[in-house]
């Protein structure tokens, strides 16, 4: 490495303050306009600096709430979410959110307080080795050792979090480093010197040519679009490309919204609870173009029968994802937007897909998503989601946890716009959806934000109702209340001979009274008539609302690819 | 299959932990690892020997290592002409009666005596792992009290053998 020349244009800025002051100043330089956090002993100097030099701070009621809110904010705004927590328990309470952001590639910079350098390693009060704890679940992490390193580390942290494949970066700050005086001039160092980190964003020309050749001669081409398309802000390019060449598209769970939910070339979501049409298209296609998806096991099912006839083209910014799960014929390491632009720049003959599209359209008609509504049984969760879709026209930002309610929302809510779908995909975190909705609402104050949650997941982070009350955020919380851990119950029904071990919840709080305790309008609905009226009323209001929507307990998510099975072995398909 | 992998890393604190943690998380079994400074300030080099099942897993290993921010370069040098060395220090029971016999065995290995007491001699031996294994095997009958090994360090030779098939096109 001969290039270690530092390009520094040091301007004599008059910033003489503590490490904490420099930290806040650096955050302002990064354009940070909101911080999610929770103070404590080890970060008091930082909060004091924040008092002197304010940036909007959202005080969550639990650190997990803070970090999920930051994730929601990052997902919807495309900006990097910023979190501050204190040392020890504050930092460990963030671990779930950090792992969640890692698996779903969300840009976060997380500041954790640490005990003073002099006592690190002595099991001091509120000490936890957060660097060691978070090493496997971060894109990178730092412990600040010298106060002079603050400006550089913060610049690098934001750069690493938001470029390449986005991800969380932890910066651990010993208390004494925050209080130490920063004596040198604040550097205006524009250059970031990270010789070990140079993400490839532009596609290789020869590989693009190979992809074009494969696509133009394909009889049954298919595009699988993942969250990488959304992260790269490449939805317009995707739409132009598929329309120009008439190639059908399916989405991963996290890729929903990268193409309009009602687009004629969209086959619905693929994977474990994907549509019959999407999953069989994967089985039948001869060229599969994956853009920004990582072939997660919930998507592929049994790898042995995944896309058996297809030549796989994989575009991904992270070279380690290419070939990790599925053998790839044409690897293209690139940013999704750059790759799609390059594909659009090359004029090539469109494949003849008339028969293929006709076949797929026939499947869509013959094997649609289905459920059996029954007035006697009460509200079916699918009906509730369809109602939300009808009332919002597919324009709302929707957040969820993990489980049945998540899958029904993914299946029945058709997203018209990108960046409106916020869900915990990779880690499958209960308690994610509600705080994420708070972050999403802060990112898009004028949009309608609906948090569709299950009764169990909601109870993991419901203390954040305080934020709706405090900030009067007009988030609508819709609890699809089936008084159970729905997906656990469904699996016990299907794979454990109906032994419902600890999955049925007999005792619940009165959610309406709970909402009222937080000065939020609460509703309970038990029939579709009530639901129509209450949803319409709540959605029309500019105030927050909580709706306890009682749904049929024993309803299951179908169709389904059972664990270990292939996409060609779906169960619960209509028409079969 | 056994692979020899070298990585050049930035000398940040915790970088060894990062690399070994990554291998643990991804379920790779490290057979040996050695780390030391390089000729460039701020850079260290790690050599590790890993057991990998197949090509795809190997590729994944190299890519995951390359992804680490503090990792500058990753090379699988197994199939290259390389220099590979390990140091072992071996404490052998050596009563005066067998001492001469032991010395005659030690000589071809160019092992040297680094410590000695009435009934125990400590040897150091350097070379590729097979040579060290062979040395230890020969010492075993006399009674080995203690062994410590450094793990291999390796780099590629300056001159690589060229394959004649490639030249045949000319």
């Amino acid at each position: 490495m001969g290039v270690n020349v530092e390009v520094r244009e040091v301007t004599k800025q008059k910033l003489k303050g503590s490490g904490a002051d420099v930290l806040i100043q650096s955050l302002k330089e990064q354009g940070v306009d909101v911080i999610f956090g929770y103070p404590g002993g080890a970060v008091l100097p930082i909060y004091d600096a924040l008092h002197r030099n304010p940036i909007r701070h959202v005080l969550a009621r639990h650190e997990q709430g803070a970090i999920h809110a930051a994730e929601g904010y990052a997902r919807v705004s495309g900006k990097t979410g910023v979190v501050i927590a204190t040392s020890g328990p504050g930092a460990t309470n963030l671990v779930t959110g950090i792992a969640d952001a890692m698996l779903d590639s969300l840009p976060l910079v997380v500041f954790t307080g640490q005990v003073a350098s002099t006592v690190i390693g002595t099991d001091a009060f509120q000490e936890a080795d957060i660097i060691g704890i978070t090493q496997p679940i971060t894109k990178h992490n730092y412990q600040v050792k010298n106060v002079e390193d603050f400006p550089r580390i913060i610049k690098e942290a934001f750069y690493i979090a938001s470029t390449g494949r986005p991800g969380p970066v932890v910066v651990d700050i010993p208390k004494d480093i925050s209080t130490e005086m920063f004596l040198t001039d604040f550097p205006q160092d524009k250059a970031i010197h990270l010789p070990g980190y140079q993400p490839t964003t532009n596609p290789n020309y020869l590989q693009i040519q190979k992809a074009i050749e494969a696509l133009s001669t394909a009889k049954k081409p298919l595009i699988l679009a993942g969250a990488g398309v959304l992260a790269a802000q490449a939805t317009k390019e995707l739409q132009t490309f598929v329309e120009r060449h008439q190639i059908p598209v399916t989405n991963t769970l996290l890729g929903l919204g990268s193409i309009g939910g009602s687009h004629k070339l969209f086959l619905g979501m693929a994977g474990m609870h994907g549509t019959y049409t999407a999953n069989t298209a994967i089985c039948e296609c001869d060229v599969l173009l994956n853009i920004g998806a990582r072939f997660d096991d919930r998507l592929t099912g049994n790898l042995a029968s995944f896309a058996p006839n297809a030549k796989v083209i994989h575009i991904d910014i992270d070279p380690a994802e290419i070939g990790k799960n599925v053998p790839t014929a044409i690897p293209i390491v690139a940013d999704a937007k750059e790759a799609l632009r390059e594909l659009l720049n090359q004029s090539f003959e469109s494949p003849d897909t008339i028969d293929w599209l006709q076949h797929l359209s026939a499947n869509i008609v013959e094997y649609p998503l289905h459920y059996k509504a029954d007035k006697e049984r009460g509200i079916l969760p699918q009906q509730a989601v369809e109602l939300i879709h009808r009332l919002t026209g597919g324009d709302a930002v929707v957040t969820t946890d993990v489980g049945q309610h998540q899958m029904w929302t993914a299946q029945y809510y058709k997203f018209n716009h990108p960046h409106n779908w916020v869900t915990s995909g990779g880690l499958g975190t209960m308690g994610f959806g509600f705080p994420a909705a708070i972050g999403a609402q802060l990112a898009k104050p004028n949009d309608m934000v609906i948090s569709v949650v299950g009764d169990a997941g909601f109870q993991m982070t419901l203390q954040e109702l305080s934020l709706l009350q405090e900030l009067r955020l007009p988030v609508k919380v819709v609890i699809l209340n089936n008084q159970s851990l729905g997906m656990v119950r469904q699996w016990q029904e299907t794979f454990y001979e109906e032994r419902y071990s600890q999955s049925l919840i007999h005792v619940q709080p009165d959610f309406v009274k709970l909402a009222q305790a937080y000065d939020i309008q609460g509703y309970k609905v038990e029939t579709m008539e009530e639901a129509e009226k209450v949803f319409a009323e709540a959605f029309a209001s500019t105030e927050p609302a909580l709706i306890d929507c009682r749904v049929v307990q024993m309803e299951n998510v179908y169709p389904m690819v059972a664990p270990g099975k292939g996409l060609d072995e779906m169960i619960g398909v209509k028409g079969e | 299959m056994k692979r020899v992998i070298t990585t050049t890393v930035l000398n940040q604190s915790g970088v060894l932990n990062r690399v070994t943690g990554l291998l643990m998380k991804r379920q790779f079994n490290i057979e040996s690892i050695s780390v030391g400074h390089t000729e460039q300030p701020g850079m260290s080099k790690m050599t590790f020997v890993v057991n990998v099942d197949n090509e795809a897993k190997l590729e994944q290993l190299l890519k995951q290592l390359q992804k680490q921010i503090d990792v500058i370069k990753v090379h699988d040098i197994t199939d290259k002409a390389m220099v590979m060395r390990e140091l072992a220090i071996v404490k052998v029971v050596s009563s005066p009666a067998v001492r001469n016999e032991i010395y005659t065995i030690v000589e071809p290995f160019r092992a040297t005596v680094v410590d000695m007491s009435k009934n125990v001699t400590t040897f150091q031996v350097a070379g590729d792992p097979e040579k060290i294994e062979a040395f230890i095997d020969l010492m075993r009958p006399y009674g080995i009290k203690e062994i410590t090994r450094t793990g291999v360090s390796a780099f590629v030779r300056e001159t690589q053998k060229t394959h004649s098939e490639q030249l045949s096109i000319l």
Side-chain angles (χ1 to χ4, degrees):
Chain A
M1 295 305 310
V3 232
N4 222 338
V5 189
E6 296 220 348
V7 189
R8 279 190 174 219
E9 320 157 19
V10 180
T11 59
K12 300 278 175 201
Q13 263 204 352
K14 296 250 174 340
L15 197 132
K16 298 276 161 73
S18 66
D21 289 318
V22 174
L23 165 70
I24 301 302
Q25 189 56 35
S26 299
L27 293 181
K28 289 199 165 168
E29 292 225 330
Q30 291 295 327
V32 173
D33 48 17
V34 58
I35 297 171
F36 300 88
Y38 205 101
V43 286
L44 280 176
I46 298 171
Y47 275 84
D48 200 46
L50 206 51
H51 191 76
R52 285 193 289 278
N53 189 6
I55 298 175
R56 183 176 193 188
H57 180 278
V58 174
L59 175 69
R61 297 317 193 247
H62 187 290
E63 287 86 354
Q64 188 180 358
I67 192 162
H68 291 327
E71 289 184 83
Y73 176 85
R75 178 69 182 76
V76 166
S77 69
K79 290 178 169 179
T80 300
V82 179
V83 184
I84 299 180
T86 194
S87 66
T92 56
N93 278 345
L94 296 175
V95 167
T96 305
I98 295 170
D100 191 273
M102 183 68 178
L103 280 182
D104 287 350
S105 308
L106 292 173
L108 289 189
V109 174
V110 177
F111 296 97
T112 53
Q114 185 52 275
V115 299
S117 310
T118 46
V119 290
I120 288 179
T122 66
D123 305 320
F125 177 65
Q126 293 197 327
E127 180 182 1
D129 170 20
I130 203 65
I131 291 297
I133 292 170
T134 61
Q135 219 159 54
I137 51 167
T138 47
K139 188 169 172 189
H140 196 54
N141 62 18
Y142 292 92
Q143 189 171 58
V144 186
K145 301 251 163 61
N146 294 301
V147 68
E148 286 80 21
D149 290 338
F150 258 127
R152 173 185 61 83
I153 287 179
I154 289 160
K155 206 171 283 178
E156 286 178 8
F158 276 85
Y159 178 68
I160 292 169
S162 61
T163 53
R165 178 180 181 175
V169 177
V170 165
V171 181
D172 195 37
I173 306 169
K175 190 172 184 180
D176 54 321
I177 303 288
S178 300
T179 50
E180 202 175 313
M181 292 309 279
F182 188 87
L183 292 176
T184 46
D185 288 310
F186 194 81
Q188 297 294 101
D189 187 349
K190 296 279 181 283
I192 287 175
H193 184 67
L194 288 167
Y197 178 69
Q198 274 137 11
T200 308
T201 51
N202 290 317
N204 177 292
Y205 180 76
L206 287 174
Q207 295 300 95
I208 289 284
Q209 292 307 313
K210 281 189 200 166
I212 286 171
E213 199 183 308
L215 283 171
S216 59
T217 53
K219 297 269 179 295
K220 298 173 176 178
L222 177 68
I223 289 175
L224 170 68
V229 174
L230 294 163
Q233 315 276 347
T235 53
K236 281 212 179 77
E237 287 81 359
L238 175 69
Q239 194 178 329
T240 312
F241 183 73
V242 302
E243 282 170 1
R244 184 183 297 170
H245 297 293
Q246 289 296 299
I247 303 173
V249 186
T250 181
N251 275 159
T252 63
L253 172 70
L254 287 173
L256 289 173
S258 59
I259 184 111
S262 315
H263 196 282
K264 356 194 251 330
L265 289 165
F266 182 52
L267 309 177
M269 180 175 74
M272 182 172 267
H273 294 293
T275 63
Y276 174 86
T277 309
N279 283 345
T280 51
I282 288 176
C283 296
E284 292 168 6
C285 68
D286 59 2
V287 171
L288 179 64
L289 172 57
N290 172 349
I291 311 176
R294 63 188 173 94
F295 287 128
D296 172 73
D297 54 282
R298 278 291 200 271
L299 172 93
T300 60
N302 184 358
L303 283 169
S305 52
F306 180 79
N309 312 312
K311 183 176 240 188
V312 175
I313 309 168
H314 191 171
I315 299 172
D316 206 301
I317 189 116
D318 180 357
E321 285 306 338
I322 297 177
K324 187 178 84 176
N325 299 330
V326 172
T328 303
I330 305 170
I332 301 176
V333 179
D335 174 80
K337 197 183 188 96
E338 298 302 326
L340 278 163
R341 272 191 186 156
E342 197 55 43
L343 284 169
L344 285 167
N345 282 343
Q346 309 291 321
S347 62
F348 64 92
E349 207 178 319
S350 297
D352 177 7
T353 55
I354 293 170
D355 292 348
W356 174 229
L357 289 175
Q358 244 167 26
H359 165 69
L360 296 171
S361 305
N363 277 351
I364 289 174
V365 174
E366 201 170 339
Y367 308 105
L369 292 170
H370 67 101
Y371 59 86
K372 216 182 264 166
D374 182 354
K375 256 194 165 165
E376 298 298 299
R377 289 170 72 204
I379 305 172
L380 284 178
Q382 300 93 325
Q383 286 180 292
V385 174
E386 280 191 332
L387 175 61
I388 297 171
H389 180 253
R390 180 149 51 81
L391 291 171
T392 59
D395 294 337
V397 175
V398 181
T399 75
T400 76
D401 287 347
V402 65
Q404 285 187 318
H405 71 279
Q406 176 191 36
M407 289 302 139
W408 284 316
T409 310
Q411 289 176 331
Y412 290 93
Y413 194 93
K414 312 281 179 229
F415 292 91
N416 282 337
H417 309 292
H419 314 292
N420 274 4
W421 169 232
V422 185
T423 194
S424 172
L427 196 66
T429 307
M430 289 174 75
F432 169 88
F434 174 48
I438 293 170
Q441 186 75 77
L442 288 164
K444 283 192 178 169
N446 300 321
D447 282 30
M448 174 170 275
V449 176
I450 299 173
S451 187
V452 179
V453 288
D455 48 296
F458 180 60
Q459 292 188 61
M460 289 194 173
T461 48
L462 62 74
Q463 73 282 351
E464 305 307 337
L465 281 169
S466 270
L467 289 186
L468 296 197
Q469 177 196 32
E470 183 182 323
L471 307 171
R472 293 323 286 181
L473 296 174
V475 170
K476 319 297 175 199
V477 180
V478 179
I479 306 173
L480 294 185
N481 187 346
N482 55 9
Q483 300 181 54
S484 61
L485 313 185
M487 197 59 98
V488 172
R489 193 207 54 72
Q490 176 171 342
W491 281 43
Q492 287 173 334
E493 180 185 323
T494 318
F495 309 117
Y496 295 87
E497 295 164 332
E498 302 183 13
R499 291 187 295 278
Y500 298 126
S501 181
Q502 306 296 318
S503 61
L504 304 179
I505 294 182
H506 305 293
V507 179
Q508 277 188 329
D510 181 330
F511 286 112
V512 175
K513 280 191 187 156
L514 182 81
Q516 285 162 357
Y518 286 96
D519 189 22
I520 291 163
Q521 182 70 46
Y523 305 88
K524 179 178 171 181
V525 296
E526 289 176 300
T527 63
M528 271 315 284
E529 289 75 46
E530 284 172 352
E532 296 262 1
K533 193 172 136 291
V534 165
F535 281 38
E537 182 188 321
F539 292 1
S541 155
T542 53
E543 289 289 303
L546 181 148
I547 304 170
D548 178 9
C549 179
R550 296 301 173 109
V551 296
V552 175
Q553 185 175 45
M554 304 306 267
E555 184 63 13
N556 288 340
V557 184
Y558 285 120
M560 180 181 191
V561 178
K565 301 283 185 186
L567 296 183
D568 54 342
E569 299 170 278
M570 297 191 78
I571 52 175
V573 179
K574 189 184 187 179
E576 282 200 330
Chain B
M1 54 186 177
K2 217 179 263 187
R3 308 301 300 187
V4 183
I5 291 159
T6 62
T7 57
T8 309
V9 300
L10 289 179
N11 243 345
Q12 310 281 4
S13 75
V15 67
L16 176 65
N17 210 347
R18 231 174 252 287
V19 168
T20 53
L22 166 77
L23 293 170
M24 186 176 77
K25 175 184 166 192
R26 306 267 168 192
Q27 299 230 299
F28 290 101
N29 194 11
I30 307 172
E31 201 155 283
S32 99
I33 188 159
S34 70
V35 196
H37 294 291
T38 62
E39 74 288 357
Q40 285 160 317
M43 299 266 190
S44 283
K45 195 151 160 189
M46 297 182 190
T47 308
F48 42 100
V49 181
V50 195
N51 260 315
V52 192
D53 303 343
N54 54 50
E55 288 287 333
K57 274 199 117 179
L58 173 66
E59 187 186 320
Q60 183 58 206
L61 168 66
L62 300 177
K63 283 174 166 177
Q64 290 293 346
L65 283 169
Q66 189 69 70
K67 242 169 92 165
Q68 295 293 311
I69 309 283
D70 290 337
V71 172
I72 310 289
K73 263 187 259 174
V74 183
H75 288 298
D76 175 5
I77 60 170
T78 319
D79 302 327
K80 298 253 169 75
M82 62 171 155
V83 184
M84 184 160 139
R85 288 290 180 272
E86 182 177 3
L87 175 76
I89 305 175
V90 187
K91 234 182 237 179
V92 185
V93 178
S94 53
S95 60
V98 294
R99 211 175 277 162
N100 274 340
E101 186 183 327
I102 292 178
Y103 283 179
T104 55
I105 298 173
V106 161
E107 220 190 331
F109 285 90
R110 273 177 281 171
T112 51
V113 175
V114 289
D115 186 36
M116 210 169 155
S117 66
K118 215 164 94 191
N119 283 313
V120 177
T121 309
T122 304
F123 296 100
Q124 83 168 31
V125 58
D128 62 32
E130 286 77 30
K131 176 180 162 184
I132 288 168
E133 289 297 335
F135 179 77
I136 289 168
D137 279 351
L138 285 168
M139 288 297 112
R140 196 159 278 136
Y142 299 96
I144 291 175
K145 286 194 67 134
E146 211 180 326
I147 298 177
T148 180
R149 298 172 67 159
T150 58
V152 296
S153 276
F155 53 52
V156 292
R157 287 183 188 278
E158 203 51 40
T159 315
Q160 294 288 312
K161 275 181 265 177
T162 43
H163 295 286
S164 50
E165 308 93 80
Q166 285 176 328
L167 295 172
S168 67
I169 303 167
L170 308 169

